[in-house]
Amino acid sequence: QVQLVESGGGLVQAGGSLRLSCAASGSIFSRNTMGWYRQAPGKQRELVASITSGGSTNYADSVKGRFTISRDNAKNTVYLQMNSLKPEDTAVYYCYLRIPGSWGPGTQVTVSS
């Protein structure tokens, strides 16, 4: 059994920043790929960023240069630092654990214009 819990979402003005956290329990973390996905109203869920056990990162083109994914294996936590936020970043953000393929419940990020 695994449990992923996101935190750090909220309402922010365009141009502002938020830092999302995802704490994992009951999971294999240190050697697992972690990812952040988001789903906006009326849109498909999309990959925002991922990070492998070796620290390799991947970002959606829409967030490159603005978002940074990182992980702290000692705390079983993955982070998403979001800077220069835009209204189009508004979505529910989900944490994903590749093995066994688990999702967190999501955290709402709303960027006002």
Side-chain angles (χ1 to χ4, degrees):
Q1 296 182 342
V2 298
Q3 185 175 13
L4 303 174
V5 180
E6 304 95 339
S7 62
L11 175 64
V12 65
Q13 188 175 343
S17 298
L18 286 173
R19 188 193 190 201
L20 305 183
S21 299
C22 174
S25 63
S27 64
I28 301 173
F29 185 86
S30 63
R31 298 179 64 176
N32 214 327
T33 294
M34 305 290 294
W36 286 98
Y37 290 72
R38 68 186 181 187
Q39 188 166 20
K43 303 293 184 181
Q44 297 294 314
R45 187 172 298 187
E46 64 175 350
L47 174 68
V48 177
S50 65
I51 184 166
T52 70
S53 61
S56 297
T57 58
N58 184 58
Y59 298 93
D61 288 341
S62 60
V63 307
K64 286 181 179 177
R66 300 189 298 121
F67 291 10
T68 302
I69 188 171
S70 62
R71 64 193 298 163
D72 186 337
N73 290 337
K75 297 181 178 180
N76 284 359
T77 302
V78 63
Y79 305 94
L80 185 68
Q81 178 67 46
M82 305 186 294
N83 298 327
S84 301
L85 283 162
K86 305 174 181 179
E88 50 262 47
D89 295 318
T90 295
V92 177
Y93 284 71
Y94 298 92
C95 183
Y96 178 73
L97 180 65
R98 184 180 295 275
I99 300 174
S102 298
W103 297 89
T107 185
Q108 177 70 48
V109 171
T110 302
V111 184
S112 64
S113 59

